[in-house]
Amino acid sequence: ERPSTNKARLTSFLNNDANELESEEFADDDDFMYKSKPIADLFSDTTILFADISGFTAWSSTREPSQVFVLLETIYKAFDEIARRRGVFKVETVGDCYVAVAGLPNPRKDHAVAMARFARECMHRMLQLTRKLEVVLGPDTGDLTMRFGLHSGPVTAGVLRGDRARFQLFGDTVNTTARVESSGAKNRIHVSQDSADRILAAGKGSWLIPRAEKGNAKGIGEIQTYWVYTKGGLI
């Protein structure tokens, strides 16, 4: 991996919840490149989550903008609180998609297990909140559910500088996670073989249900995936 100083800079930036970099990071009057090195590094062992609201497009098309934001703010505020408690790092939200990662900036061996627990708690919380939101947002709000996708592997992470600098993830692990999520099902947690292997190694094989049919991920081909068992209490 790259020198640990990059990880230290990135960890410091994220843990301080900085909204902008030092002014010298952007000071560049004459050249097209930044004068300082980027805050970025490779994290070799992580689990990424993509979560998408099933039915959101149709639901939002009949709502006022303020109602759409009430839904998203309520759900994602709850997810943020769960993430902080479980040591999961929220990366960003893109529309109705919530992106999070475990295993960075602070490495942890149980990142796949932690993310499965996070996803399951978020699923239960989503169901609770949509039922409550029916009162102000309409009865069909309770029909909204979440679709989760998890995949484990290395990821390049860093702060993309410029106006509104922000933390981002790049690499095949990110792309595969998106495909695992999109090929999943509503109200289900869909995990790749790589995430399943880590969950199995942690002695949590009872959490996993092999998907009967192999998935066909665009650009990857046929893959074996699993569902995380979600009935009963939280794992």
Side-chain angles (χ1 to χ4, degrees), residues 51-53 56 68-69 72 76 92-98 146:
D52 191 76
I53 302 176
F56 177 79
V68 173
F69 272 74
L72 294 177
Y76 292 151
E92 62 182 342
T93 56
V94 182
D96 64 315
C97 183
Y98 189 97
M146 213 82 191

Side-chain angles (χ1 to χ4, degrees), residues 6-220:
N6 275 345
K7 280 190 174 66
R9 292 176 70 209
L10 182 58
T11 301
S12 176
F13 178 86
L14 297 176
N15 287 342
N16 290 329
D17 195 25
N19 293 316
E20 58 183 73
L21 301 178
E22 297 292 337
S23 58
E24 62 178 331
E25 298 284 358
F26 296 95
D28 191 13
D29 296 330
D30 302 320
D31 302 320
F32 63 91
M33 292 179 63
Y34 286 96
K35 293 180 180 178
S36 58
K37 291 182 179 180
I39 300 177
D41 214 316
L42 175 68
F43 292 82
S44 60
D45 204 16
T46 69
T47 295
I48 299 174
L49 170 144
F50 274 50
D52 191 76
I53 302 176
S54 298
F56 177 79
T57 301
W59 178 89
S60 62
S61 67
T62 62
R63 296 301 191 282
E64 295 294 329
S66 60
Q67 293 178 305
V68 173
F69 272 74
V70 166
L71 176 80
L72 294 177
E73 288 179 343
T74 301
I75 292 171
Y76 292 151
K77 179 178 182 291
F79 285 13
D80 291 348
E81 291 172 352
I82 297 169
R84 281 192 293 271
R85 178 160 40 81
R86 291 199 173 273
V88 168
F89 189 86
K90 175 188 177 180
V91 178
E92 62 182 342
T93 56
V94 182
D96 64 315
C97 183
Y98 189 97
V99 183
V101 61
L104 70 81
N106 302 310
R108 56 187 300 178
K109 293 181 179 180
D110 67 338
H111 51 83
V113 169
M115 192 61 89
R117 285 184 166 130
F118 170 74
R120 188 168 178 181
E121 187 170 352
C122 286
M123 177 181 292
H124 283 270
R125 189 67 178 131
M126 165 80 174
L127 293 173
Q128 293 170 351
L129 290 171
T130 51
R131 292 190 190 107
K132 291 181 178 180
L133 286 169
E134 283 185 332
V135 177
V136 291
L137 301 180
D140 53 341
T141 303
D143 297 331
L144 295 173
T145 56
M146 213 82 191
R147 185 176 60 209
F148 295 86
L150 278 64
H151 177 59
S152 302
V155 66
T156 295
V159 181
L160 195 60
R161 295 177 289 183
D163 290 346
R164 297 184 179 86
R166 59 178 181 158
F167 174 71
Q168 291 200 300
L169 307 177
F170 299 95
D172 288 342
T173 301
V174 179
N175 299 332
T176 302
T177 306
R179 288 162 185 154
V180 170
E181 182 272 317
S182 64
S183 61
K186 65 180 183 179
N187 216 30
R188 302 295 296 269
I189 301 168
H190 194 208
V191 304
S192 69
Q193 183 71 61
D194 295 274
S195 292
D197 288 344
R198 289 163 171 81
I199 292 171
L200 285 165
K204 308 295 184 182
S206 61
W207 293 7
L208 301 171
I209 305 169
R211 188 169 183 173
E213 71 279 8
K214 289 188 177 180
N216 198 332
K218 182 180 178 182
I220 300 174

